[in-house]
Amino acid sequence: MKNLVNIIIIALLVGCTNKDKAASDRLTLQFEGRNISLAPYFEGFPYQQFSVDKDGQKLFFFKSGNENRLQWLEISPEADLRNAQNAAGINFATRNCWSPRYNAVDGFIYWIGDENNDEIINIYRANLGGDTAEKLTDVPYIYAWEFNPARTKIAYVARLGQNEERLDELRILDLQSGKDELVCQDTPTFRFTWSDINWQPEEKGLTLLALKGIDRTYTNLVYVDLQTKAPTLLTDSSRAASLSGCQALGEWAASDECIFLSDQDGYANLYSFRLVDKSVKQLTFYTQNVDDAAYLTVAGKRHILLLQSNPIETMLTLMDAETKEVKFRQPSSFRLQIGTTNRNRAILIAGSTTELFQLLEGEVEAEGITLTEKISVPAELKKELVQSTVKRLEIPTFDIDSATGRQRLLHAYLYKPTTPLPAEKELVMIESFYGGENRYNTGYQILAQAGIYVLSPSPRGSAGFGREFAAMNDGDLGGDEIIDIIYAAQYISKELNIPPSRIGVFGMSHGGYATMRLMTFPGEVNGHKAAFFFGFGIETAGFCDIIWQHRHSNIPDWTALEAGDPDRDSLRLVDRSPITHAERISGPILLLHGNHDNRVDIGGSRFMAEKLKELGKPYRYVEFSGLGHGIKGTENNRKLYAEYFDFLQSEVLK
């Protein structure tokens, strides 16, 4: 009997070993004689989108794979992500789940999301650990939502017209009775579409953001009195302020004072709004954005903790909430995000280009903040997940920076693979947009494991360098931002001595458009001439026809801001659409798209594939069934990188 038991145990162990080996083999791709293992990225550390509950007791995150599970963990020194529990027994691989928030009052986890990856966004909830989702609203799209202080209600903005055919509504949902009450509608002059809600402590009203004429560069703060249901504009609507640079802090400073962020002076700074006289006063005058801020209590007094991030470090600043006196400024090499604050304790989510994730606890005193690691990635696993060294570059571009009077310098990160490809086969891939961030990027490290250099630049229009720089491509989509990337390509080609034929460009969404634009660029825009013949390109979820994108997107205001009016500016938009110049494409291109994408319609890639086929140009087109705007799931990511490497092997290094 004992021998039988031993045989069974051995058989089980062998079976488990074989199963693990099969899984590892399945996630191992071949490229240039190398084994590229995806297992560490998608099975070793399959965690992302971290958030902390209001009380700082629970960490929430997604465990991705072929299934995508929202999980939670009690925060403690012994916490291990591998021991997390499912927050909801729902597979989010086939649906979106954004900004999940735990409500300790009723024990539910709430989120905004959809059911089919189609971005029909509503509010859902499930019991913590429950198996079913309850849909609480039924509207085309919700972006802004927030609990009241008692956490018994939710205020939200319902966007009712995909192409702004109807006004948006501010509504309040009672979580106990289910009553859903209309507070007020916005107006064509001031739209609530992309908002940020903050309740007055006594629930007399709330603040939210309003875009002047649906223009994301004119973002204002509005106070809505819940008794009169009348909105009052609080900020100077004649002054520009970006949507990304404006937000209300999570709670009010006092029953009469609300602190908010705005970049009306060019950088995100703190402002105070007084309810008694509706007055607004600027509190800080920094020339670097305040990215995040929250209240805490130090030595019995209310203070504000501010975070200011740049590509090198994050500056932590403590300010007295009453006197506005700065107590300390302390740098950190991490990019930090405030999870929550409680008394003089702050829970911070940390990362960098080579650090996936750390959860830090900060004990805040008037003299400084002491950071203690609570949860991090095991050292052995980190070795597998970081396959490059990272160097910060400043790359000269074509114009003069008015702030310095000298040639403008673009920030970029160069990811050098630990083991590059042989000199005659060295490849560089350049991120076409959304690059230059001080955060870990799985895709960059997978490419580095394959021996490929990655250049991640921040062209004009990128966030993190002030409102003026972020707005430099407004109304100029496909213009000077494209010249920036061409200059970056010229720079890195010379720096690494790698020819254009082995330098490619890649990107997703706006970056997908930029990829196609760069590969079909006619050589001149805005009177500036530039040329770089990219050897290849990989675009994901991009668009090749700007006007089509505007007419078939669930965020048409984005196109209007970035590109211009599709009727008034139609000739320019047609000229800047990659499909117009498809015959100029400089090399083979891989086109990737999900067929449930409502943000960038799949026609954005299909049309380019059809045009290139007609022209006899080299391309590959791959469609992902059931996916929306992005690639989710282990098998889908395996397919993605298998397509990457097969394309590079057969079309670029042939």
Side-chain angles (χ1 to χ4, degrees), residues 208 221-225 228 230-235 273 278:
L208 67 160
L221 193 75
V222 168
Y223 177 75
V224 177
D225 186 303
T228 66
T232 302
L233 184 67
L234 304 179
T235 47
F273 155 60
K278 306 294 192 297

Side-chain angles (χ1 to χ4, degrees), residues 208-265:
L208 67 160
L209 304 181
L211 307 186
K212 183 179 178 181
I214 327 176
D215 188 341
R216 297 188 190 200
T217 64
Y218 283 86
T219 306
N220 293 272
L221 193 75
V222 168
Y223 177 75
V224 177
D225 186 303
L226 292 181
Q227 190 168 35
T228 66
K229 300 186 178 180
T232 302
L233 184 67
L234 304 179
T235 47
D236 183 353
S237 63
S238 67
R239 297 180 64 190
S242 71
L243 177 61
S244 61
C246 298
Q247 70 176 74
L249 269 63
E251 56 185 293
W252 283 39
S255 61
D256 182 54
E257 183 183 18
C258 172
I259 307 294
F260 66 97
L261 289 170
S262 174
D263 60 7
Q264 280 194 331
D265 73 343

Side-chain angles (χ1 to χ4, degrees), residues 50 65 114 128 204 242 251 263 306 332 456 465 472 531:
F50 296 92
D114 58 24
L128 190 63
K204 294 178 179 178
S242 71
E251 56 185 293
D263 60 7
L306 292 76
S332 168
S456 179
F465 304 93
M472 287 185 75

Side-chain angles (χ1 to χ4, degrees), residues 590-625:
L590 174 61
L591 308 161
L592 307 156
H593 219 119
N595 66 359
H596 280 199
D597 195 341
N598 271 336
R599 197 177 308 185
V600 177
D601 185 86
I602 194 169
S605 294
R606 281 179 178 169
F607 296 156
M608 181 59 83
E610 292 164 3
K611 186 67 174 179
L612 294 175
K613 181 179 180 180
E614 175 187 319
L615 293 168
K617 300 291 185 177
Y619 77 95
R620 289 192 187 183
Y621 172 70
V622 180
E623 198 166 296
F624 289 79
S625 179

Side-chain angles (χ1 to χ4, degrees), residues 57 74-80 374-375:
Q57 303 299 316
E74 291 284 354
I75 297 173
S76 73
E78 299 78 31
D80 187 327
K374 301 290 286 186
I375 306 174

Side-chain angles (χ1 to χ4, degrees), residues 98-122:
W98 298 341
S99 61
R101 303 174 193 172
Y102 176 64
N103 186 354
V105 172
D106 60 17
F108 283 94
I109 184 87
Y110 291 79
W111 67 91
I112 56 172
D114 58 24
E115 297 177 36
N116 297 294
N117 275 334
D118 54 8
E119 293 196 18
I120 299 174
I121 304 298
N122 280 277

